[in-house]
Amino acid sequence: FIQAVGADFDIWKDAHVKGDVMDVLVPEQYLSRTSNALRSRNVAFDVMVEDVQALIDETTPKNTEYTSYADFDYNNYHTFDEHQAWQADFAAENSDIVNVVNYGTSLEGRPLNTMVIGNGSRKMILHGGTHSREWINPIEMINFSKQLGKSTL
């Protein structure tokens, strides 16, 4: 069927046996042609998501520009540079227990840092936010660190 429509579709779930369902992302320009091809072959189909881009936009974390440690939005996506700025500001705010330690650079020349939190033999090392499109790990590290900082002690 896909060959009959003449498009290179994104297959989300392939059919493995006869009668199995298949999930396919159909680009907007092929909607009419695809539905006509399915109907002409008596293939039942359902539209699971009307507008995939709208769903992506709705569920993708929003980027907010970093202005200062005090105004940091802990519920949104931040860039690598914003994470670096937050780390530096957090360490300055909590200089009695926090150090940012650089342990090298990435292939792109970005600094690779850890935050060392604690004093004496009681220290923890936190690291996160150096991989592309990584946003859960860095914000989790930031939220955890914030709980250890002066503002919540």
Side-chain angles (χ1 to χ4, degrees):
F1 140 77
I2 291 177
Q3 293 81 6
V5 175
D8 186 23
F9 293 158
D10 188 6
I11 310 288
W12 290 357
K13 179 193 175 295
D14 208 348
H16 297 289
V17 295
K18 186 176 182 177
D20 197 2
V21 296
M22 187 173 181
D23 295 340
V24 180
L25 174 63
V26 178
E28 186 175 10
Q29 67 265 29
Y30 295 107
L31 286 175
S32 178
R33 188 188 218 178
T34 302
S35 59
N36 288 341
L38 289 169
R39 284 187 192 102
S40 72
R41 290 167 175 77
N42 294 319
V43 175
F45 66 93
D46 295 311
V47 176
M48 295 169 56
V49 179
E50 287 289 334
D51 187 342
V52 172
Q53 187 60 55
L55 183 61
I56 290 169
D57 293 344
E58 179 184 315
T59 59
T60 300
K62 306 300 182 252
N63 187 7
T64 55
E65 190 172 327
Y66 181 84
T67 54
S68 73
Y69 174 72
D71 296 330
F72 189 79
D73 184 347
Y74 291 90
N75 296 309
N76 280 317
Y77 176 80
H78 292 277
T79 65
F80 176 83
D81 291 335
E82 290 167 340
H83 281 249
Q84 294 294 304
W86 184 92
Q87 274 187 355
D89 290 348
F90 179 76
E93 179 76 17
N94 298 281
S95 60
D96 57 325
I97 61 166
V98 179
N99 287 310
V100 175
V101 178
N102 179 282
Y103 64 90
T105 56
S106 71
L107 292 174
E108 293 93 11
R110 295 176 171 189
L112 298 173
N113 298 331
T114 61
M115 281 198 315
V116 179
I117 301 176
N119 290 315
S121 63
R122 302 193 76 171
K123 294 179 188 173
M124 74 174 75
I125 298 172
L126 300 175
H127 169 76
T130 58
H131 301 289
S132 63
R133 294 179 300 280
E134 175 186 17
W135 66 274
I136 293 292
N137 184 314
I139 200 63
E140 193 61 35
M141 183 190 81
I142 283 173
N143 282 318
F144 179 74
S145 302
K146 183 177 182 253
Q147 291 178 27
L148 300 173
K150 287 179 184 172
S151 61
T152 58
L153 292 178

